Amino acid sequence: MSDLPLSGIKILDLTRVLAGPLSSQMLADLGAEVIKIERPGGGDDARAFGPPYLVDPEGKENNNNSFYLCANRNKKSVTVDLAKPEGQEIIRELAKSSDIMMENFKVGDLKRYQLDYESIRAINPGIIYCSVTGFGQTGPYAPRAGYDAIFQAMGGLMSVTGHMDGEPGAGPMKVGPSIVDYMTGMNTSIGILAALYHRKANGGAGQHIDVCLLDTVVASLSHYAQIYLVSGNTPPRRGTWGNGGMPAGVFRCADGDLMLVVGNDAQFARTCAVLGKPELAADPKFIKNNDRVVHGKEIMAIFAGLFLKQKVSHWLEELEKAGIPCGPVNDFAQVFADKHVRERGIEIKVNHPFEPELSLIRNPITFSETPVKEYKAPPLLGQNTREVLASKLGYDDAKLEALREQRII
């Protein structure tokens, strides 16, 4: 098997919760060695973010919950108390041989421990030091803490998400998963990979990368934000309506729901034929997509009545024959049972000490020459402390035991 793309890259990961750990997990999947630093006793804050937890074979309470498991595979867990000088020295020693150091502490917090970028750069000039925060390293909000939902609200995402005005339940709505964390994790990975390339191609210089959730969510609004910047008008909430072609949205059928997106005029004509109303395609109000946008409520109401006449499976089959983009509105059980999802191998199995066949979600990138084939379970808290400190820093058993007794590791 070919080496993974990031084989040989060493990452010292001080991030916690979700955005940072998702990024370091991505890089670990791609072959980087990731040493995850956790607090002795409690570990990553994500470990306390509630059930469900894996079941300990001995029936003991544990900290291996779904929130932690989703973002920490292929890593090594090392417990170090950063509040103690000896713990800070361990981090500095590990940083000397690292390519990348990642952290998501409040702005300025690590400076008091001499673990900030300037301090680490002084001992490792080539280090790529990535700070992941809520509001960034500069600006009036920089000192603030925050979580995904706060940024969905502040960044404008919630204002354009939810039922349309005038409908029951109208008002701003949060997207279900922690989507801003996920997107920030991807931006973090992109930034680190770009800095790695720059270091290799342009003289070996490291640098400080500043990635934050607020920047990410505003940038993610893409064409919605551009509508505002061009016109001065905030796009209205559209519920499940699409963002371009019309009609587009969720339609209730005789036994469930489907999502339909009619992307152009030819697709509209074919959809009308499938629904048994080909004459709609010749109606002056609906001939062109811009016309259908203007008369959107009318055409959506007409389609709603037509879709109720048959089951989801009937409409999906007929629409797919006609080349119309559509799909069922699946719950998670249906997603993971879907034949295409199963063929793509999205669900993987790993051997965890508490669950020999633990299900995780694979890395979504597929390589032809350097495929990601091996997945290691998210580590137990401190699982690799002795191994890493002995192999990387040369600590012997006596020193390790002394550090453990002082609760530094």
Side-chain angles (χ1 to χ4, degrees):
M1 170 180 156
S2 301
D3 285 342
L4 290 166
L6 297 184
S7 292
I9 297 297
K10 298 179 175 62
I11 299 176
L12 182 59
D13 181 16
L14 277 64
T15 65
R16 303 147 294 163
V17 188
L18 197 54
L22 280 169
S23 174
S24 57
Q25 175 175 264
M26 168 68 75
L27 302 173
D29 288 348
L30 301 183
E33 179 185 17
V34 176
I35 297 174
K36 178 181 178 69
I37 303 299
E38 300 194 67
R39 287 180 294 113
D44 187 329
D45 293 349
R47 292 181 181 270
F49 278 17
Y53 287 85
L54 297 182
V55 177
D56 187 311
E58 298 180 2
K60 297 178 182 177
E61 288 188 8
N62 69 88
N63 49 27
N64 298 282
N65 64 0
S66 295
F67 206 101
Y68 167 79
L69 293 172
C70 83
N72 289 287
R73 64 173 175 255
N74 287 335
K75 303 178 186 179
K76 297 176 180 178
S77 172
V78 173
T79 51
V80 178
D81 187 348
L82 301 185
K84 296 180 178 178
E86 297 88 346
Q88 297 156 22
E89 183 59 25
I90 289 173
I91 299 302
R92 282 191 288 272
E93 288 298 312
L94 289 171
K96 287 179 181 178
S97 61
S98 296
D99 297 287
I100 299 153
M101 181 168 167
M102 303 172 62
E103 60 90 9
N104 66 342
F105 287 75
K106 288 183 182 178
V107 174
D109 264 14
L110 290 181
K111 189 168 187 176
R112 56 183 170 152
Y113 298 148
Q114 293 184 303
L115 298 176
D116 58 306
Y117 172 58
E118 294 300 332
S119 299
I120 298 301
R121 185 177 68 168
I123 59 175
N124 182 352
I127 196 80
I128 293 165
Y129 188 108
C130 185
S131 297
V132 184
T133 56
F135 295 95
Q137 299 295 301
T138 59
Y141 302 158
R144 294 187 186 179
Y147 291 96
D148 183 277
I150 303 299
F151 299 103
Q152 290 197 33
M154 290 186 68
L157 179 58
M158 283 177 59
S159 76
V160 293
T161 304
H163 294 295
M164 288 182 277
D165 287 338
E167 292 187 351
M173 185 178 292
K174 187 183 83 68
V175 176
S178 301
I179 194 68
V180 183
D181 275 315
Y182 187 87
M183 292 187 295
T184 303
M186 297 304 98
N187 283 343
T188 301
S189 298
I190 292 168
I192 288 171
L193 293 173
L196 274 174
Y197 178 81
H198 169 76
R199 189 178 71 179
K200 181 176 181 180
N202 297 301
Q207 60 182 303
H208 188 193
I209 302 171
D210 172 8
V211 184
C212 75
L213 277 76
L214 187 61
D215 290 354
T216 292
V217 68
V218 174
S220 76
L221 295 174
S222 59
H223 56 288
Y224 267 53
Q226 196 62 48
I227 289 171
Y228 169 76
L229 292 173
V230 169
S231 69
N233 298 317
T234 297
R237 288 183 300 278
R238 298 179 180 178
T240 65
W241 284 28
N243 298 321
M246 179 63 72
V250 170
F251 291 95
R252 176 61 50 86
C253 305
D255 63 344
D257 300 315
L258 66 77
M259 181 74 197
L260 174 78
V261 177
V262 177
N264 55 49
D265 299 336
Q267 288 180 5
F268 178 66
R270 297 200 301 273
T271 304
C272 293
V274 168
L275 292 171
K277 292 287 184 178
E279 64 274 15
L280 287 172
D283 189 315
K285 291 181 293 185
F286 306 138
I287 290 177
K288 296 295 183 182
N289 190 70
N290 283 346
D291 301 323
R292 297 192 294 277
V293 170
V294 172
H295 300 283
K297 289 188 177 181
E298 184 176 350
I299 190 60
M300 289 291 282
I302 293 171
F303 270 35
L306 296 172
F307 273 107
L308 279 171
K309 297 179 180 180
Q310 295 284 352
K311 294 182 177 181
V312 171
S313 59
H314 169 82
W315 291 126
L316 289 177
E317 182 178 356
E318 295 303 314
L319 289 167
E320 286 169 9
K321 286 180 185 176
I324 310 302
C326 61
V329 180
N330 288 333
D331 60 24
F332 286 2
Q334 291 168 317
V335 169
F336 288 103
D338 184 276
K339 62 183 181 181
H340 186 84
V341 173
R342 295 179 71 85
E343 174 69 22
R344 296 286 296 173
I346 301 298
E347 180 182 356
I348 57 172
K349 300 288 186 179
V350 299
N351 184 11
H352 188 279
F354 295 177
E355 179 59 64
E357 289 283 306
L358 175 65
S359 289
L360 297 176
I361 298 172
R362 73 163 171 85
N363 189 295
I365 303 173
T366 301
F367 295 90
S368 66
E369 300 302 319
T370 56
V372 180
K373 290 185 176 180
E374 184 178 1
Y375 293 93
K376 295 179 181 177
L380 301 178
L381 179 60
Q383 178 178 324
N384 310 101
T385 302
R386 287 178 171 268
E387 166 208 337
V388 168
L389 298 186
S391 64
K392 302 291 184 186
L393 305 183
Y395 289 6
D396 58 21
D397 288 345
K399 183 162 187 175
L400 290 167
E401 187 58 28
L403 290 169
R404 188 190 66 80
E405 288 179 357
Q406 297 171 67
R407 298 186 178 179
I408 294 164
I409 62 172

